[in-house]
Structure formats: C-alpha cells, structure tokens
Amino acid sequence: MPGTTTPNHISAAALSVNQLYQTAFYTGRTPRSQEYKAGARMALEHRIERKDFDMPYQVGTAAADAFFAGIEEGKTIWRAAAAKMGGAA
C-alpha cells in the first residue's frame, strides 16, 4: 500500500537521502571527514533506497574506521527521522 511504513523501509517519497544528509551535515557543524560522511550517506541509502552496502576502504585503516563510525551516525539519523514520522526504525 503506498505510504505504508514497514520496520525496515520508509518510502523514498517520505524521506530523501539528500534531505536527511544535508540536515545532519549543515554548515557550521563540527567538520567530519569525507569517509565519515560517506558512511552516514551509505547507511541512509541502505534504509531509504535499499542499496547494498559497499566497503570502499581497506578494513583496519583509519578511513575504514571513520566510515564505520559514519554508518552508526547514519543509523541514528534514520531512527530519529523514522520516529518523527511515527514509523518503526
């Protein structure tokens, strides 16, 4: 049913990756690395657009660690947005 919220997916019409990403990484926020922001974006794309995760960094490097930390923030951004819409995260 259009607009139906499921535990793992809220329609892209309801939320957009770019909207959530831009809100989270606004001008004036404490800067984050590109790797960190890439992880956050990937987590949002996974939830909203159902994209598979792609590991662009070698595991065990600082870049990979930043990417993984960004994924965790992306999950937090997702949960907060879903909760505001009354959906399950």
Side-chain angles (χ1 to χ4, degrees):
M1 173 178 273
T4 299
T5 303
T6 65
N8 293 319
H9 182 72
I10 291 179
S11 74
L15 296 174
S16 88
V17 172
N18 286 333
Q19 177 186 22
L20 293 175
Y21 180 86
Q22 293 300 323
T23 299
F25 295 101
Y26 59 90
T27 302
R29 176 187 164 161
T30 302
R32 296 288 183 244
S33 68
Q34 291 304 312
E35 296 87 355
Y36 183 95
K37 293 192 289 187
R41 178 177 283 279
M42 183 159 295
L44 293 170
E45 289 174 348
H46 177 72
R47 287 296 188 170
I48 295 169
E49 299 172 358
R50 295 186 177 234
K51 288 188 178 179
D52 290 334
F53 278 90
D54 178 33
M55 182 56 182
Y57 307 102
Q58 182 178 352
V59 176
T61 65
D65 290 349
F67 181 76
F68 290 134
I71 288 173
E72 292 307 312
E73 180 170 352
K75 290 177 183 178
T76 299
I77 293 165
W78 165 257
R79 285 186 205 106
K84 282 184 181 180
M85 293 184 63

